[in-house]
Amino acid sequence: MKTFAWGLLLTFLAVSPSYALPADEIGHIHTLRGTASVTRGTLSVPATVGAPLYCGDLVRTGESGSVGLVLTDDTTISLGPNSELCLNEYAFNPKEGRFSLVVRMVKGTFVYLSGLIAKLAQDAVQLLIPDATIGIRGTKLLIHVEE
Amino acid sequence: MAVASLALFLLAGCATKHTVVLVPDPDGHTGKAEVTTGGGKQVLERPNDVTRVSGSSAPPSPVTTADPGFIASTFADALAIEPLPPEKFILFFETGKTELTQDSQKTVAPMLEAIKRRGAITIAVSGHTDTSGTAQINEKLAYDRADLVKELLLQNGVDPQRVTVSSHGKGNPLVPTPDGVAEPRNRRVEVIIR
């Protein structure tokens, strides 16, 4: 019985950190017009105002949809109609000095406004568009990716 | 086969163009961005600097100034849906206590009004102290101050799921001072509404 309890505890300890990491909210959907969706793993759900965002999320807007995201470092990204982006990588940990933001813009129109990550760490932000990489030094950008 | 796919690749490369425009921040300052392909790099550093990317082996196009008409027509929807910039309120406290100063009691109503008006998605409440007293005592005092403000929000109907509370103790002063200084402007709770 005792061994069983220890086994459970060890299993829990071994498993819990891998749960803790991807479960961190990295931001929220703040504004929405028309339809948009968020795909997490294999699950795709309609976007709603106030919904949390996680690392790896794929955000898509419909033909007349547009959506605004705010990440926890105050990075703001908005998507026009028929747009798609992936929140590839995100780390905002001032205590440990870990900063990183990698966003892949697949298609559509985007407004990017940098937050604290770009301010606190040079070269920590990368916007990936087809055929090119955009490096940021604290700034606001408009990006159009043709299909 | 290889030739056919290369030709297709080149064709696709020529057909599509991606555009990157640098615009001023909300505070009027213009930052800097570098656009890099396998063929070269362009630096954007003036308001409305624009470069175009067509293919991974071609360098980005020479920097020109974007036409305002092009910006308006291409980015109208994405610009219209931009979230509001965050709004910050600072509440000050009596020394050593979790009691708002009289002046700061007047800040509560406009703060609640802003939360309602914006339909706030997240409300970050952080507690701070001045540098008098030990780190341990101040850590707790800062947390208790933040917690008091959170309770104040909840009493006024704010959704608890939207509120996060943190303590910075004496580690993040508004006005930097040597250790052991009773500075009223550092005894505070900051509320950032997004």
Side-chain angles (χ1 to χ4, degrees):
Chain A
M1 191 60 199
K2 230 176 182 176
T3 325
F4 176 64
W6 271 111
L8 261 186
L9 181 66
L10 285 175
T11 312
F12 177 72
L13 287 176
V15 164
S16 52
S18 60
Y19 274 118
L21 286 174
D24 280 344
E25 289 180 3
I26 66 166
H28 292 84
I29 293 174
H30 277 239
T31 52
L32 174 67
R33 192 174 294 162
T35 56
S37 69
V38 178
T39 305
R40 192 166 300 142
T42 53
L43 192 70
S44 187
V45 293
T48 52
V49 169
L53 293 166
Y54 298 89
C55 212
D57 280 359
L58 191 71
V59 183
R60 276 195 196 99
T61 55
E63 222 149 284
S64 57
S66 51
V67 67
L69 323 174
V70 181
L71 305 183
T72 53
D73 79 316
D74 277 339
T75 297
T76 300
I77 305 172
S78 59
L79 291 72
N82 258 322
S83 303
E84 184 176 326
L85 72 69
C86 184
L87 300 165
N88 277 17
E89 214 180 290
Y90 185 85
F92 178 54
N93 191 334
K95 273 185 187 160
E96 293 173 19
R98 286 197 303 118
F99 304 100
S100 148
L101 172 63
V102 180
V103 178
R104 193 160 51 87
M105 294 165 167
V106 181
K107 63 168 184 172
T109 51
F110 306 90
V111 179
Y112 161 89
L113 178 61
S114 61
L116 287 172
I117 292 176
K119 204 173 186 179
L120 296 174
Q122 289 228 329
D123 303 319
V125 179
Q126 279 199 336
L127 309 180
L128 311 177
I129 63 173
D131 302 328
T133 302
I134 306 168
I136 303 290
R137 304 260 188 282
T139 203
K140 183 170 180 177
L141 291 174
L142 312 177
I143 298 151
H144 180 210
V145 176
E146 285 188 358
E147 251 187 297
Chain B
M1 185 63 194
V3 175
S5 57
L6 181 66
L8 197 69
F9 170 73
L10 287 176
L11 200 67
C14 293
T16 55
K17 269 198 177 177
H18 314 305
T19 312
V20 183
V21 189
L22 178 72
V23 293
D25 299 346
D27 63 10
H29 165 261
T30 300
K32 191 173 169 181
E34 285 177 7
V35 181
T36 309
T37 68
K41 180 173 98 172
Q42 290 292 355
V43 178
L44 309 176
E45 49 196 348
R46 288 176 306 266
N48 299 344
D49 268 2
V50 61
T51 182
R52 291 189 168 80
V53 172
S54 42
S56 57
S57 53
S61 71
V63 175
T64 57
T65 303
D67 171 50
F70 162 78
I71 291 179
S73 63
T74 307
F75 297 102
D77 291 317
L79 284 166
I81 204 77
E82 265 195 295
L84 292 168
E87 213 166 314
K88 189 199 269 190
F89 290 87
I90 304 181
L91 302 161
F92 296 97
F93 284 76
E94 298 294 348
T95 180
K97 292 182 187 169
T98 57
E99 191 183 316
L100 285 174
T101 63
Q102 237 173 356
D103 255 4
S104 282
Q105 289 176 20
K106 295 176 202 151
T107 309
V108 175
M111 178 175 72
L112 290 166
E113 197 275 323
I115 290 171
K116 208 170 162 186
R117 166 171 44 82
R118 296 169 57 105
I121 305 293
T122 63
I123 303 160
V125 181
S126 64
H128 305 261
T129 67
D130 61 30
T131 59
S132 64
T134 66
Q136 203 181 359
I137 286 174
N138 282 321
E139 184 72 20
K140 182 172 186 316
L141 178 59
Y143 187 86
D144 290 345
R145 284 173 174 164
D147 202 46
L148 176 109
V149 172
K150 180 187 176 176
E151 284 306 315
L152 202 68
L153 296 176
L154 301 196
Q155 282 162 20
N156 285 278
V158 173
D159 178 357
Q161 284 199 314
R162 298 281 157 223
V163 186
T164 56
V165 171
S166 65
S167 167
H168 293 226
K170 60 178 175 179
N172 190 2
L174 189 63
V175 181
T177 67
D179 199 40
V181 175
E183 167 56 61
R185 286 170 293 176
N186 290 336
R187 297 192 289 265
R188 71 202 194 278
V189 165
E190 298 194 355
V191 180
I192 300 175
I193 305 168
R194 300 184 175 98

